[in-house]
Amino acid sequence: MAEPEIDYAAVFQALPGAVALLTPELIYVDANDAFLRTVGLTREQVIGNYLPDDFRDDPDAPVAALTSKVQASLLRAAETGERDTMALRHTEENPERPGALNDRYWTQINIPVLGPDGRVALLLHRVEEVTEFIRAREVALSLQKAMLPAPRPVGRHHAAVRYRPAAAALNVAGDWYDLIDRPGDRMAVVVGDVVGHGLPAAGVMGQLRSALSAACLVLEGPARALEVLGLYARTVDGAENTTVATVFVDWETHILTYSSAGHLPPALTRADGSVEFLDRATDPPLAARPRHAPRPQAAVAFREGDVLVLYTDGLIERRREDIDVGLARLADSLSCHHADDCERLADAVLGDLLPPGDATDDTALVIVRL
């Protein structure tokens, strides 16, 4: 059977997004209609012309100021033979509101196309506007920040909290933390992680955080608080498989009582630098069972000067790496810096554990000096 003849010109026009082909000398040889609409030029103004001349007749065009950055990226791809990716932002006047400025965002990728001799023959240049995507993410980040408690003293006890959005992701996740004052010299410490990203995850996170905060105030143990939260989670779309760790701290008895709904174990760092993971009361995530069931609870004594650490998976999990490796890395960091105050300890742990370029997932961290 003969192979079908492929109309590559039609394929090029049908490629998703705005795409152009240039020579290594930055001369346009082709562009699809989406690219022409993006740059606001006709085909005659583009094909055969030198990229830096795109806006010589209209230097005030909205994307004209980006040409030098695009040129630098294309030249890197031509010189190295490797793809070059970058993000671009441009501020322009809102046409519907004179005097008001809007930010617009693009991503671009420049891919070298090698010829028979192995040298760069063409550059595939793809541009995509992601303004609405970025705005949605900024709204989600603002919503998430508004719903997380601000750092504050917890009675007479010292605590530090950190929240780091994933650096490379364009989505906000549903990680949260909470510190809840309870009657007497007691408090509850919580971290949780909603499955999913964006505004839906942030919305679910806010509902679960509020419900668990109320449960921790009126119920006597963390297991019972998670049981009530689990019942509530069954009524909230998107709350299933949320993981949560809850620790009740009682300074009168010097006892930590804890329970986990599928979450990574809290760490208790002793005054001598040894680290114990609180993993004797772990159960499935919220709403993961077909039927509701009681949750386990465990207790451990602490001494003055010990440190309690709760965190989400962005701190320790790495692709293609066993979870025990990440837990060992956390234990080593806590042991090394255990004598630091809470704020310095939080910064040290993030510095030791977050990979170069920052985390690939959102990270919440709570540290309490007991």
Side-chain angles (χ1 to χ4, degrees):
M1 180 177 177
E3 294 184 359
E5 185 176 345
I6 300 175
D7 185 347
Y8 284 100
V11 172
F12 183 77
Q13 287 295 328
L15 288 174
V19 185
L21 279 173
L22 299 94
T23 69
E25 295 75 33
L26 307 191
I27 302 297
Y28 285 107
V29 295
D30 205 351
N32 67 2
D33 291 339
F35 181 85
L36 298 176
R37 288 193 299 270
T38 297
V39 298
L41 298 173
T42 66
R43 188 171 184 82
E44 291 72 24
Q45 291 173 306
V46 171
I47 305 306
N49 288 326
Y50 180 46
L51 176 139
D53 291 339
D54 274 355
F55 303 99
R56 59 184 173 184
D57 298 325
D58 188 10
D60 296 324
V63 295
L66 304 180
T67 302
S68 62
K69 296 180 180 179
V70 174
Q71 179 182 5
S73 177
L74 283 161
L75 289 175
R76 284 194 298 269
E79 292 169 1
T80 65
E82 298 179 356
R83 65 176 58 194
D84 191 89
T85 304
M86 65 184 300
L88 302 170
R89 183 180 72 177
H90 178 66
T91 301
E92 63 185 44
E93 187 173 8
N94 186 333
E96 298 178 357
R97 298 173 56 198
L101 298 178
N102 286 342
D103 283 335
R104 295 178 64 185
Y105 301 86
W106 291 267
T107 61
Q108 73 156 30
I109 179 170
N110 296 312
I111 305 172
V113 179
L114 304 183
D117 59 358
R119 301 174 66 180
V120 176
L122 292 170
L123 296 167
L124 180 66
H125 174 58
R126 184 178 186 274
V127 181
E128 181 177 7
E129 183 168 2
V130 292
T131 301
E132 294 305 317
F133 195 36
I134 294 294
R135 287 174 181 167
R137 177 180 184 259
E138 288 172 350
V139 170
L141 282 171
S142 297
L143 175 62
Q144 187 172 39
K145 184 177 180 180
M147 289 189 292
L148 293 175
R152 57 182 174 81
V154 183
R156 60 184 176 84
H157 308 291
H158 300 288
V161 297
R162 297 289 186 272
Y163 183 82
R164 295 288 177 84
L170 290 179
N171 282 317
V172 63
D175 296 31
W176 91 87
Y177 61 83
D178 211 348
L179 299 167
I180 304 134
D181 286 313
R182 303 185 70 243
D185 197 8
R186 300 182 298 167
M187 77 172 191
V189 187
V190 172
V191 294
D193 189 356
V194 174
V195 176
H197 296 84
L199 284 171
V204 171
M205 177 271 286
Q207 295 179 72
L208 295 181
R209 176 185 168 264
S210 297
L212 184 54
S213 178
C216 287
L217 282 172
V218 300
L219 299 173
E220 284 303 313
R224 183 60 181 146
L226 288 182
E227 289 172 24
V228 171
L229 183 67
L231 286 171
Y232 177 66
R234 293 176 183 273
T235 71
V236 178
D237 290 341
E240 60 276 3
N241 293 315
T242 294
T243 67
V244 191
T246 305
V247 181
F248 281 21
V249 185
D250 189 330
W251 274 277
E252 295 177 356
T253 63
H254 280 72
I255 295 293
L256 300 178
T257 310
Y258 63 93
S259 185
S260 173
H263 201 82
L264 293 163
L268 178 60
T269 306
R270 302 294 188 176
D272 63 0
S274 60
V275 177
E276 176 183 351
F277 286 104
L278 308 184
D279 57 4
R280 293 187 290 111
T282 299
D283 221 26
L286 300 181
R289 285 195 181 104
R291 293 185 178 86
H292 180 72
R295 290 190 176 272
Q297 181 171 293
V300 62
F302 68 86
R303 294 180 293 274
E304 185 175 351
D306 290 350
V307 177
L308 176 66
V309 180
L310 282 76
Y311 52 95
T312 55
D313 56 7
L315 184 69
I316 68 165
E317 289 188 354
R318 303 292 175 263
R319 292 178 183 175
R320 296 181 294 276
E321 181 180 88
D322 190 272
I323 190 66
D324 289 337
V325 176
L327 290 172
R329 189 163 48 237
L330 173 60
D332 288 344
S333 179
L334 292 172
S335 181
C336 180
H337 304 288
H338 73 278
D340 290 349
D341 63 47
C342 290
E343 297 294 337
R344 288 191 297 173
L345 179 57
D347 290 338
V349 168
L350 291 180
D352 287 348
L353 271 71
L354 292 187
D358 229 335
T360 56
D361 193 6
D362 286 21
T363 299
L365 173 66
V366 181
I367 295 179
V368 181
R369 179 71 68 178
L370 301 172

